[in-house]
Amino acid sequence: MPVISVPHAYNEEDLYVDLRAPLGRPLYLKCEGFNFAGSIKLKAAREMVESAEQAGALGPGSVLVESSSGNLGVALAMIAASKGYGFLCVTDTRCNLATRLMMEALGSRVHVVAEPSPDGGLLGARLAFVRAVCAADPRHVWLSQYTNPANWRAHYRTTAPAIARAFPKLDVLFVGAGTTGTLMGCARFFRQWHRPVRVVAVDSAGSVSFGGLPGPRMIPGLGMSVPPPLLDAAWVDDVVRVEEAETVRTCRGLARRGFLFGGSTGTVVSGAATWLAGHDVSDEVTPVAISPDLGERYLDTVYQANWVEALYGPDALAPTLPAAAPVRAPYHRAP
């Protein structure tokens, strides 16, 4: 049995779920929640920390600092604990309680921002706090997931090649858009691959990543209140936006079929199903979507009836899967 140095290595085993039965159309879901940090963010966290070490930015007594809605915070808390660094996670009130408790259990400090900044919302307030902390104490090192190229390089080197190995005839890839590290790493890799792959970004309604006006977003993980610095939209073929109520219904619908996934996964699956239905995808096409995490950290939000009804109304409680959308244009496998 291979020995893994935890948590310096993430889970190299690839697990894919075939959602054809619950969705009524082909879609393979790459499940990233089965590593020691419980999410895809362990890849970016490891890459950013190792890059900072190689650059000489980290040493004895260093304290990692990062703004995170949750999953990256848990990954960095685990890595910091294993390497002997301190870690301060700056988050906001949307961060799940289970996630905050997990970071604290790993020995990290968590600062929760409650008031949004006038021009940058809660994210702007988080970033302002991070800058103030780093300016006050040089031991604090901000990894800056929003601007750090190691974020997308992690997925260029690991996530995308793993999908390419598992699906050599891949046609369409659906990736959720948050910091856009996963999106940009995968898009860059597949643009250079030996066959055409259509990369579809799935974003939350109310996010400004691909333009439009900002709106309220209560489910952490995807979407941005400011344009993501890592994003180069030229690498993206299509964008699908998903309302949070639809995210909740999809999560609860998948749970009724035995799949307990996180909010970001509900958004990606909903967006992918809508795109596939709207493009009349033939059976020969191979579509894959990336699932960032599992659902245990969302039991007191997405899967909690009072929370859902208070924010989205009683209709969001219905555990339904995405319905077919009007057909816009046929999509077949590229020659």
Side-chain angles (χ1 to χ4, degrees):
M1 177 179 295
V3 177
I4 299 176
S5 176
V6 181
H8 303 295
Y10 50 83
N11 184 11
E12 295 284 359
E13 297 297 325
D14 288 318
L15 175 63
Y16 295 85
V17 171
D18 186 350
L19 294 180
R20 185 187 300 265
L23 293 182
R25 56 181 63 89
L27 180 65
Y28 295 96
L29 192 63
K30 187 180 194 305
C31 301
E32 291 281 350
F34 293 98
N35 59 48
F36 293 102
S39 82
I40 195 171
K41 290 292 188 178
L42 184 55
K43 296 178 178 179
R46 186 186 74 161
E47 189 84 12
M48 290 191 295
V49 170
E50 290 182 352
S51 294
E53 289 174 333
Q54 292 166 8
L58 295 174
S62 291
V63 179
L64 304 175
V65 183
E66 188 54 86
S67 162
S68 170
S69 60
N71 283 336
L72 182 69
V74 172
L76 286 173
M78 182 174 290
I79 291 174
S82 72
K83 288 177 172 284
Y85 301 128
F87 174 52
L88 169 62
C89 181
V90 182
T91 188
D92 59 53
T93 51
R94 295 172 297 182
C95 181
N96 298 322
L97 175 61
T99 301
R100 299 203 302 266
L101 294 176
M102 197 175 304
M103 287 187 279
E104 291 172 348
L106 289 164
S108 300
R109 291 183 293 135
V110 180
H111 177 83
V112 180
V113 171
E115 294 296 327
S117 69
D119 55 351
L122 287 169
L123 176 58
R126 279 159 43 180
L127 296 181
F129 186 87
V130 168
R131 293 188 184 98
V133 167
C134 292
D137 187 343
R139 294 177 305 161
H140 291 79
V141 178
W142 181 19
L143 297 173
S144 187
Q145 63 164 323
Y146 308 102
T147 61
N148 194 329
N151 187 345
W152 68 259
R153 281 202 306 267
H155 303 287
Y156 182 92
R157 296 196 312 104
T158 63
T159 308
I163 294 171
R165 288 192 298 269
F167 296 92
K169 294 185 178 181
L170 176 69
D171 294 294
V172 189
L173 179 65
F174 299 95
V175 188
T179 66
T180 68
T182 307
L183 176 64
M184 287 293 94
C186 290
R188 283 183 166 93
F189 177 89
F190 284 111
R191 184 67 64 88
Q192 301 164 5
W193 205 32
H194 66 89
R195 66 186 312 277
V197 173
R198 196 160 185 169
V199 176
V200 180
V202 183
D203 199 10
S204 298
S207 166
V208 303
S209 296
F210 296 91
L213 297 175
R217 292 177 294 109
M218 297 305 298
I219 300 175
L222 299 185
M224 292 277 283
S225 56
V226 297
L230 292 178
L231 175 64
D232 182 348
W235 295 93
V236 179
D237 296 298
D238 285 311
V239 179
V240 180
R241 292 180 175 86
V242 177
E243 298 286 344
E244 284 196 336
E246 186 59 35
T247 291
V248 171
R249 284 191 287 268
T250 300
C251 283
R252 297 170 75 88
L254 288 169
R256 295 304 188 272
R257 301 299 295 268
F259 303 111
L260 192 71
F261 288 115
S264 297
T265 301
T267 302
V268 172
V269 170
S270 177
T274 300
W275 190 96
L276 292 168
H279 287 76
D280 190 24
V281 173
S282 65
D283 289 339
E284 65 181 13
V285 170
T286 301
V288 173
I290 297 176
S291 165
D293 63 358
L294 301 179
E296 291 91 339
R297 297 173 191 176
Y298 302 83
L299 293 177
D300 59 347
T301 54
V302 170
Y303 296 102
Q304 211 284 324
N306 292 337
W307 186 91
V308 171
E309 187 168 5
L311 288 174
Y312 308 109
D315 289 346
L317 291 171
T320 59
L321 293 172
V327 173
R328 294 194 299 270
Y331 184 79
H332 301 277
R333 168 168 290 167

